[in-house]
Amino acid sequence: GEDVEQSLFLSVREGDSSVINCTYTDSSSTYLYWYKQEPGAGLQLLTYIFSNMDMKQDQRLTVLLNKKDKHLSLRIADTQTGDSAIYFCAESKKPDKLIFGTGTRLQVFP
Amino acid sequence: DVKVTQSSRYLVKRTGEKVFLECVQDMDHENMFWYRQDPGLGLRLIYFSYDVKMKEKGDIPEGYSVSREKKERFSLILESASTNQTSMYLCASSTNRDGYTFGSGTRLTVV
């Protein structure tokens, strides 16, 4: 079946690294995404990774994919207060239908 | 700047009212989606559409219907609003390649 799980909360100190984890169950997923939702706003695509990749880096963001364990993570280096938001991972077999996780609320404190 | 526009940020409706939520995208995307977002439940897919006049049920279609008469517009209809439909509603559109673009959401309260 299709199910994407994330922990609900993460709290980090400003300047530290944040790691947000996600597990999925559909091994045939082709695309895996990370979205960010700031308060009162819709979701914004942060990055995505194809299932034939292990890692993708984009400035402060690093995505790691472990297909064997069906585990996806998002690392944010030098976390800032502006990174406080809800982060959703999503998987899809087809890029036209995404399955979202429950979201992880990241709180950054000074 | 390309975007998905939802017509209302906040709505308050009475139980039993018929409610229309409108979504318009200017990216010529084929696919459009309606989700609802509730704390601890993430995003749940209500309906989606791959083309004009086409619609498919998502995971929680009960109590909702949709209309897509033009490619750029996808409307969500609550036939008879109930208090358990109080939620944040998110519209999204996509091509078949690049993930979704979301609107800012409509927070609906049914009293």
Side-chain angles (χ1 to χ4, degrees), chain B residues 54-68:
Chain B
M54 290 183 65
K55 60 183 178 183
E56 293 196 38
K57 292 180 180 179
D59 299 319
I60 52 163
E62 296 78 19
Y64 303 95
S65 62
V66 290
S67 172
R68 193 164 182 202

Side-chain angles (χ1 to χ4, degrees), chain A residues 10 12 15 19 23 27 29 32-34 44 46-48 58 60 62 66 70 75 82 87 99 101 104-105 108:
Chain A
L10 177 65
V12 299
V19 179
T23 58
S27 58
S29 291
L32 295 130
Y33 300 84
W34 283 105
Q44 171 193 1
L46 280 180
T47 187
Y48 63 92
D58 183 2
R60 292 191 297 123
T62 303
N66 182 329
K70 301 190 192 75
R75 179 177 181 270
Y87 290 81
I99 307 298
T104 299
R105 183 179 294 276
V108 182

Side-chain angles (χ1 to χ4, degrees), chain A residues 35 37 40 42 95-98, chain B residues 9 33 35 37 96 100 102-103:
Chain A
Y35 283 83
Q37 184 183 34
D96 55 354
K97 186 180 177 189
L98 270 61
Chain B
R9 290 298 301 272
F33 307 84
Y35 287 86
Q37 181 182 10
N96 289 326
Y100 291 10
F102 280 85

